[in-house]
Every structure is written in structure tokens, then in C-alpha cells.
Amino acid sequence: MFETDLLARLQNSRYIENGEISMRDHLTNLVILKECLAEIDCPLSDTSFASYIRTSLSLAPSFKPLLTTLTTNARIAKEPVSSQDLIWHINEEANNAAIEDSINQHHEAMIAAHAKAKGESKDTKKKSKGKDKDKRHCSNCDKDGHTDDQCFEEGGGMAGKAPDWWIKKRKGKDMAKSANAAGTEDKDNDNYAFLTYISIDAPSDTINENVTLA
């Protein structure tokens, strides 16, 4: 009965990738079961034990290429792979996979940390730049947002080097000022003409009345 139980456990043992039991512990448990069978006078041949080991990895597809390679090499050499060699190769494969996963996780963590730090640095620079811009004042044109050496107006450090958009904007403002000045001048001329007309053609009483109303 004890023999049957040990064999059943050996036959049904399966390694699950990313499970709670490591590959090394899994293989150690298989060796213990083999030794227990030997102690009750039911020893397993090395070929049978190697077969049990292969079967226990049926749920671990990442080890299939290794097992295929070992089987191919054994056929070419016409010598079966011993259970001891099989265990060694499987443990090496598991160790290499664990190291690679650790490196990948560390690399991903570094990338995430770098991206986070870069984002925070950009936000800090933007805030700092905004604050610095608010503090800047130009004594040349008496406006905020830039300094004397950055001023495009006459007398500023960038006079004569203004970009097209600034020149167009300035021309628009100048045209608006000219239009307003012309409008004011026309209005004054109209008033002057009106008063002149009154002074020439209107009776003196009317003149006095209009002047008083004005």
C-alpha cells in the first residue's frame, strides 16, 4: 500500500511555472520519493526515474525546448540521458530563466523610475519658468514678461531682430493707432469748420448762443 502511494505521488507530480514551489524544490521532492521507494525494496531504474522527471514537466512549456534538445543529443550519441544529468540541465535552465526575469524586472523598474523622474523634472522646469517669466520686467518698453536684452522695441537688446509675427503684430497696432489719431483729427477739423461756419454766417447772438452751448 505504501509502495502504491509513493508511485502514485511520483507519477502525478507536476511542476507549475510561476507556482509556489521552485524547480529545485520540485526535483528534490522527486528524488526523495525515489529514495523512499528504494528503502522499501522497490527501487526504480534510472531510465524510469528520468521518464518520471520528464512527465512532471508536462505543464511547463518553457522547458520543452531543453527536453527536446537533450532527447535529440541522446539519440545521436545513442546513450540515454541519466537522471542526474537531466536534473542538472533542468536546474541550470531554471536558474538562467530566474536571472533573466530578475534582470528584466530591474530594467523595467529603472525605466519606470527614469520616466517618472523625467516627468517631474519637466513639471518643475515649467513651473519655474513660468514664475521666472512673471518676475521679468523690461525697463525699455516698460512691459512685463521679458527683459531689456530681449526687447524688440527700439533701444532694446533685440531691436531690429524681431520675428515676423512680432513685426506683423506691431504693424497692426501702429495702423490702429494711426486710424484712431486720424479719426480724432478729422473730428477736430469738423468741429473747427463748424465753428468757423457759424462765426462767418450766423448772427452775433446765435454765435454767442452756440459758443455757450459748446
Side-chain angles (χ1 to χ4, degrees):
M1 184 69 179
F2 189 54
E3 175 189 352
T4 304
D5 181 58
L6 289 174
L7 284 172
R9 290 171 60 186
L10 190 60
Q11 291 172 352
N12 297 325
S13 180
R14 295 292 184 275
Y15 172 75
I16 299 176
E17 292 182 304
N18 301 321
E20 297 179 357
I21 300 177
S22 66
M23 176 59 78
R24 188 172 295 278
D25 290 340
H26 170 72
L27 295 175
T28 299
N29 290 337
L30 295 182
V31 172
I32 291 173
L33 291 174
K34 175 179 177 290
E35 292 175 348
C36 288
L37 286 169
E39 289 176 0
I40 61 173
D41 296 328
C42 295
L44 290 175
S45 65
D46 193 67
T47 302
S48 296
F49 184 53
S51 179
Y52 283 125
I53 293 173
R54 291 173 180 273
T55 302
S56 72
L57 300 181
S58 60
L59 299 180
S62 63
F63 289 88
K64 187 175 180 180
L66 171 65
L67 297 178
T68 301
T69 300
L70 292 175
T71 300
T72 301
N73 292 338
R75 287 178 179 175
I76 294 174
K78 297 181 179 180
E79 289 184 7
V81 180
S82 67
S83 62
Q84 186 175 357
D85 287 343
L86 184 59
I87 290 174
W88 185 86
H89 283 292
I90 293 173
N91 276 327
E92 283 296 301
E93 184 76 7
N95 290 338
N96 292 335
I99 292 173
E100 186 176 351
D101 288 342
S102 178
I103 293 174
N104 290 337
Q105 290 177 6
H106 180 67
H107 188 245
E108 290 175 359
M110 287 182 64
I111 292 175
H114 179 70
K116 183 179 179 182
K118 190 175 182 181
E120 291 176 352
S121 177
K122 283 184 177 180
D123 292 340
T124 302
K125 286 182 179 179
K126 286 181 180 179
K127 292 179 181 178
S128 177
K129 186 176 180 181
K131 291 180 180 179
D132 292 341
K133 185 177 180 180
D134 293 338
K135 293 179 181 179
R136 291 182 297 176
H137 179 77
C138 177
S139 59
N140 181 56
C141 66
D142 197 27
K143 294 181 180 179
D144 295 328
H146 64 276
T147 56
D148 294 23
D149 59 332
Q150 298 172 332
C151 186
F152 297 130
E153 296 284 358
E154 184 178 352
M158 296 295 289
K161 300 178 182 179
D164 292 340
W165 64 265
W166 189 90
I167 295 174
K168 291 179 180 178
K169 183 178 180 181
R170 180 59 187 274
K171 285 182 177 179
K173 288 183 178 180
D174 291 343
M175 290 177 64
K177 287 182 180 179
S178 298
N180 290 334
T184 303
E185 185 177 354
D186 290 343
K187 184 177 181 181
D188 291 341
N189 291 335
D190 290 343
N191 289 335
Y192 177 76
F194 176 70
L195 292 174
T196 302
Y197 173 78
I198 292 175
S199 63
I200 296 174
D201 297 334
S204 58
D205 293 341
T206 305
I207 296 173
N208 293 331
E209 182 179 355
N210 285 326
V211 172
T212 302
L213 291 173

